[in-house]
Amino acid sequence: MVYKKIFMRGNEEMENDFNNICFLFCSDPLNKRKPDIDYEEEYEEAKANGFDVILFSYEDLIEFGKVNVPLSEKISRVIYRGWMLKPKGYECLYNKFAEKNHYLINNPEEYINAHYLPKWYKNLEGVTPKTKWSNSVPNKEEIIDMLKCFGSKPVIVKDYVKSRKHEWYKSCYIENAEEKEKSVQVINNFIKGQVEDLNQGIVLREFVNLESIGFHEKSRMPISNELRLFIYNYKVICTIGYWDGKGLNEYPKFVDEVLEKLKKVQSNFFTVDIAKKANGEWIIMELGDGQVSGLQDYEVKRFYKDLINYL
């Protein structure tokens, strides 16, 4: 990737950058002076805590590659909180802001290091489910070849970023990878459902029996004991119950055990979703860029308090 690089900064200097941090949010599609309604509460909370806030039109970026950015007299570090962007969109956003002395907390390479599964999997193999992926949309023969790696085990279908888990039996869950026709149908349903939202290629992951806490009332998707951790500069700043959004003051010892592995993921701000298996062990389910990861109904005030306490 080609992008404008900010000079290298040490961890200590990053931690002392509090006064130079601002937050970036998507504007309302119908009023560019107001934040998108889904991020309005975060926008107001960031302002209330003394941070500068910037709005940009997500629609103008996606459709025209256009971003209006105010010039900053000094270098500022920007934390984006908004909708997911594909790598080219994020790179465009990063470069437009860099031209005006604003630098997103993760450069384009750091963004995909946590956002795209194949980028982080190699660093966490062994503490996350077995995974195979394609570099683009696979044909039937390529799909069958990928399925062979799983024998008769159940498999989950997704792309480099997202699944269609709320279409659990139609587009996500394969009960037996050896049942080729059924498996190919589920994968094709996923591809058709994603359309232009499909990220890069297809990912197949071994289904792991997790500690169950129930089933989704509509899709009947199994709901498990899962946590989302927001990690800034390789330190956990908050721990969130994935399905209920409740904050936890502690996280499993498993996290401490894998923190060294997580340091191999070159990203300044990212999330880690972990889950408890039926046998009591914990595993890593997903990583994501911290700027586009949801708070899962976590209290917005507490999230910004957590972040400020860290900074």
Side-chain angles (χ1 to χ4, degrees):
M1 288 187 175
V2 178
Y3 55 87
K4 299 178 182 297
K5 292 184 179 180
I6 190 172
F7 51 85
M8 297 300 292
R9 306 168 69 85
N11 291 343
E12 183 178 349
E13 187 175 358
M14 284 180 61
E15 290 177 357
N16 291 328
D17 266 350
F18 177 83
N19 293 328
N20 296 333
I21 287 179
C22 61
F23 281 83
L24 173 66
F25 298 94
C26 302
S27 61
D28 187 307
L30 300 179
N31 187 343
K32 295 179 182 179
R33 295 183 179 182
K34 294 177 60 178
D36 187 296
I37 189 170
D38 287 302
Y39 286 91
E40 185 176 8
E41 188 177 0
E42 285 200 45
Y43 173 87
E44 295 297 341
E45 194 60 31
K47 282 180 61 177
N49 281 283
F51 290 105
D52 289 334
V53 291
I54 303 172
L55 293 175
F56 81 102
S57 171
Y58 179 88
E59 291 72 25
D60 284 352
L61 171 66
I62 298 302
E63 294 179 26
F64 311 112
K66 177 183 175 183
V67 183
N68 290 321
V69 190
L71 176 66
S72 176
E73 294 182 357
K74 59 183 179 180
I75 289 176
S76 69
R77 296 185 68 78
V78 180
I79 298 177
Y80 169 51
R81 288 292 299 156
W83 304 116
M84 287 184 180
L85 291 163
K86 289 189 175 181
K88 285 187 178 180
Y90 187 86
E91 183 179 352
C92 179
L93 184 69
Y94 182 92
N95 283 337
K96 294 291 186 183
F97 269 75
E99 289 171 0
K100 298 298 178 70
N101 253 356
H102 298 283
Y103 289 87
L104 290 167
I105 197 73
N106 287 329
N107 66 37
E109 185 176 351
E110 291 164 339
Y111 175 75
I112 65 170
N113 282 344
H115 191 57
Y116 268 11
L117 183 148
K119 287 290 186 178
W120 58 259
Y121 180 81
K122 61 183 181 293
N123 297 314
L124 298 170
E125 194 170 3
V127 290
T128 193
K130 179 181 178 180
T131 305
K132 295 292 179 181
W133 60 82
S134 63
N135 294 321
S136 58
V137 178
N139 59 35
K140 184 175 180 178
E141 290 72 24
E142 291 169 331
I143 289 172
I144 291 173
D145 189 57
M146 291 172 68
L147 287 164
K148 289 178 182 177
C149 301
F150 300 95
S152 61
K153 293 179 179 178
V155 171
I156 296 296
V157 182
K158 64 190 297 292
D159 62 20
Y160 281 23
V161 179
K162 295 182 71 67
S163 69
R164 297 183 69 82
K165 58 189 176 185
H166 292 295
E167 297 175 354
W168 184 250
Y169 291 104
K170 177 184 177 182
S171 310
C172 185
Y173 178 68
I174 295 172
E175 186 175 10
N176 182 342
E178 284 187 334
E179 295 180 345
K180 296 177 183 178
E181 292 305 317
K182 288 184 179 180
S183 299
V184 170
Q185 184 61 60
V186 171
I187 293 170
N188 283 334
N189 288 344
F190 173 81
I191 293 170
K192 291 176 183 177
Q194 289 295 89
V195 197
E196 69 275 4
D197 290 331
L198 191 139
N199 280 273
Q200 193 72 30
I202 296 302
V203 173
L204 301 182
R205 310 202 75 193
E206 182 179 336
F207 176 79
V208 177
N209 286 319
L210 303 176
E211 182 179 89
S212 176
I213 58 173
F215 294 88
H216 191 274
E217 59 182 13
K218 293 183 179 179
S219 67
R220 302 310 297 165
M221 167 186 63
I223 297 175
S224 309
N225 186 356
E226 299 180 55
L227 302 175
R228 170 163 291 176
L229 297 93
F230 277 82
I231 297 180
Y232 190 107
N233 198 19
Y234 304 108
K235 295 180 181 178
V236 179
I237 61 170
C238 68
T239 307
I240 301 171
Y242 187 90
W243 292 106
D244 60 16
K246 293 181 179 178
L248 303 176
N249 294 323
E250 296 182 1
Y251 50 80
K253 292 181 180 179
F254 168 76
V255 177
D256 290 324
E257 296 169 2
V258 297
L259 273 177
E260 284 304 311
K261 287 181 178 289
L262 290 171
K263 288 179 180 178
K264 294 178 183 178
V265 179
Q266 295 182 0
S267 170
N268 300 308
F269 183 43
F270 62 102
T271 54
V272 180
D273 293 344
I274 63 174
K276 193 174 185 180
K277 295 165 65 173
N279 65 5
E281 297 176 356
W282 287 83
I283 58 170
I284 289 175
M285 298 299 289
E286 298 286 349
L287 264 64
D289 185 84
Q291 301 171 103
V292 297
S293 295
L295 295 183
Q296 309 302 108
D297 294 325
Y298 188 61
E299 187 181 0
V300 171
K301 286 182 179 292
R302 185 171 176 183
F303 175 73
Y304 281 86
K305 181 180 179 182
D306 293 336
L307 186 56
I308 289 170
N309 285 343
Y310 169 76
L311 293 174

